[in-house]
Amino acid sequence: MRIAKTIGMVMIGSLLVSCKGDGTLLDLYPREPIVNPDVRTLIQGNRIVYAQLDGRSQIRGITDGGRFTTYNRFKSFGFDPYSWQGEQGVTGFGEGLVVQAMPEGASFVLRYSSDMGVTWVSYDTPIVDDDDIVLGAVHVVQLLVGADGSVWLLAQQNIGMDRRMLLYHVDLWEEKSVLLLRRDKAIALTADFANHDDGWLLYSDQDGETKGVHVLKTVNGGQVWSAGATLGNLNQPSIEAIADDRLLVYPQTGQALLSADGGDSFTPVSIGDNGISICHAASPDVVYALLVNGVAKSIDGGQTWLRLDAQAYDVDISGMAMDFYNERQGIVYDWNKLFITDDGGASWDILIYPYDYLLE
């Protein structure tokens, strides 16, 4: 049985002021705790999997051990324990929706949750046609969840020594799916959509007949795809769709590339020296980049970038993911820490961090 509980911050300042000397509470706690000590529930023997900023002070998310919700930046928070099972397949997160594609035989099955993984609904209608499965196994490379609940599945099929790229669109509520794209001898890399209609995907040729990474684009939700630019060799590239005609392609290492004409041409842009972990478009103008060792920001749709002085209490702002509610308010988080800004990254607060006084 799950037991939901609300955890509040205990004010211990007056107690600590009265303690002096080595080996006292002052050695374990700062005079005023920077974060609520009770957030240890989320990171001690546990880890943050996903977090979303839903308003100025409301944050909800998932850990390995359950879901959490706070309406006051973790001064208090609710925690509903359960066992997260997201490692079984490919997971996509949307607005109040979590979707998973899990391997099953030579294909995969979908399930989705509207309560952060507490309960799941199975999508029972087969997505891959039986005639296609006979040719070779199909596995999901990437799962995208749109703001309207639309689901796109970028998949790869192995047919003997050959590869085939597939793209499906799934309507969870109507239990309908359609194969939008099939391309032989293509290796699927990544995809992203700016909205329900405008999207892009990247692929490379199986045999290397044309070197580099190829861009495909659609303006009608994937019904028709046309060729865009061919880029150089990129190390694990990702796409951030900024607007209906603007996208950023960024590799794990190397220089990012910006297109302002829907993917027909790209211009190199300098974001960070040591690699880009993830980019997030807060609006068509304001884009953030989480670097290996910092945070960068663009206010002109990705054309020029400024490295932010991102620190809080002498702690560098870093993490594996970010989420912005608007141009100014956003969070950066990792499995054991979470930071928030209210002024577009000019200053930051620490809401979760593995301080010694939390974990002892």
Side-chain angles (χ1 to χ4, degrees):
M1 176 184 296
R2 296 191 319 273
I3 301 175
K5 55 184 177 180
T6 300
I7 304 172
M9 186 170 185
V10 179
M11 301 305 296
I12 60 173
S14 60
L15 172 63
L16 298 180
V17 170
S18 65
C19 300
K20 299 180 181 180
D22 295 336
T24 66
L25 287 176
L26 281 177
D27 298 319
L28 303 178
Y29 291 81
R31 188 172 295 272
E32 292 185 4
I34 296 172
V35 303
N36 179 355
D38 288 330
V39 299
R40 66 170 61 90
T41 302
L42 306 179
I43 61 174
Q44 188 171 36
N46 200 1
R47 69 184 180 103
I48 299 171
V49 174
Y50 172 75
Q52 179 177 315
L53 180 64
D54 289 333
R56 186 180 183 279
S57 298
Q58 181 179 350
I59 303 168
R60 55 178 173 160
I62 299 169
T63 71
D64 271 342
R67 66 175 179 178
F68 62 85
T69 304
T70 179
Y71 298 94
N72 55 17
R73 303 193 178 195
F74 292 101
K75 292 179 181 178
S76 62
F77 62 96
F79 183 71
D80 190 11
Y82 66 91
S83 180
W84 168 250
Q85 299 177 0
E87 304 301 326
Q88 296 179 0
V90 178
T91 303
F93 297 94
E95 296 293 332
L97 186 64
V98 185
V99 185
Q100 289 184 346
M102 297 176 293
E104 183 175 87
S107 184
F108 59 87
V109 293
L110 283 188
R111 66 175 186 171
Y112 58 94
S113 173
S114 300
D115 55 13
M116 288 292 185
V118 177
T119 60
W120 294 90
V121 177
S122 296
Y123 181 91
D124 295 325
T125 305
I127 295 173
V128 182
D129 189 88
D130 289 340
D131 292 338
D132 284 332
I133 295 178
V134 171
L135 298 176
V138 177
H139 68 272
V140 175
V141 175
Q142 186 180 13
L143 193 160
L144 300 170
V145 183
D148 61 353
S150 296
V151 175
W152 288 274
L153 301 170
L154 182 62
Q156 191 76 56
Q157 184 175 26
N158 301 327
I159 307 175
M161 297 297 293
D162 290 330
R163 302 292 181 266
R164 173 184 284 175
M165 177 174 65
L166 305 167
L167 181 72
Y168 297 91
H169 179 264
V170 181
D171 186 324
L172 297 175
W173 321 122
E174 297 293 332
E175 287 224 359
K176 296 179 180 179
S177 64
V178 58
L179 176 62
L180 297 175
L181 178 68
R182 177 191 286 119
R183 184 167 290 252
D184 291 333
K185 295 188 176 182
I187 299 173
L189 298 176
T190 187
D192 197 17
F193 281 77
N195 48 53
H196 186 77
D197 295 318
D198 301 284
W200 300 267
L201 66 81
L202 304 181
Y203 74 95
S204 60
D205 285 334
Q206 169 191 314
D207 300 325
E209 293 181 1
T210 55
K211 295 182 179 179
V213 171
H214 305 286
V215 179
L216 291 179
K217 58 180 182 176
T218 181
V219 296
N220 57 9
Q223 299 300 318
V224 178
W225 292 84
S226 59
T230 296
L231 311 176
N233 293 319
L234 302 176
N235 176 28
Q236 295 180 296
S238 299
I239 300 175
E240 179 62 19
I242 300 173
D244 57 8
D245 61 350
R246 183 178 293 264
L247 68 150
L248 189 70
V249 174
Y250 58 98
Q252 291 298 302
T253 57
Q255 201 164 34
L257 302 166
L258 177 70
S259 175
D261 58 10
D264 288 330
S265 64
F266 287 80
T267 302
V269 292
S270 179
I271 299 180
D273 298 331
N274 298 319
I276 305 166
S277 298
I278 193 169
C279 290
H280 182 92
S283 73
D285 295 318
V286 178
V287 188
Y288 293 88
L290 186 55
L291 311 178
V292 172
N293 58 351
V295 183
K297 179 182 180 181
S298 172
I299 58 173
D300 55 12
Q303 296 181 64
T304 59
W305 292 81
L306 174 66
R307 175 74 176 266
L308 300 178
D309 183 18
Q311 280 195 338
Y313 299 96
D314 295 323
V315 174
D316 291 331
I317 307 304
S318 63
M320 64 179 180
M322 61 171 61
D323 182 60
F324 274 77
Y325 180 69
N326 53 36
E327 291 184 348
R328 295 175 60 81
Q329 296 173 325
I331 58 174
V332 168
Y333 65 93
D334 211 326
W335 68 274
N336 63 353
K337 53 190 174 182
L338 190 149
F339 310 95
I340 191 168
T341 181
D342 289 309
D343 52 16
S347 63
W348 297 81
D349 285 329
I350 303 175
L351 301 186
I352 300 175
Y353 195 77
Y355 287 112
D356 288 346
Y357 71 87
L358 266 71
L359 305 181
E360 291 181 352

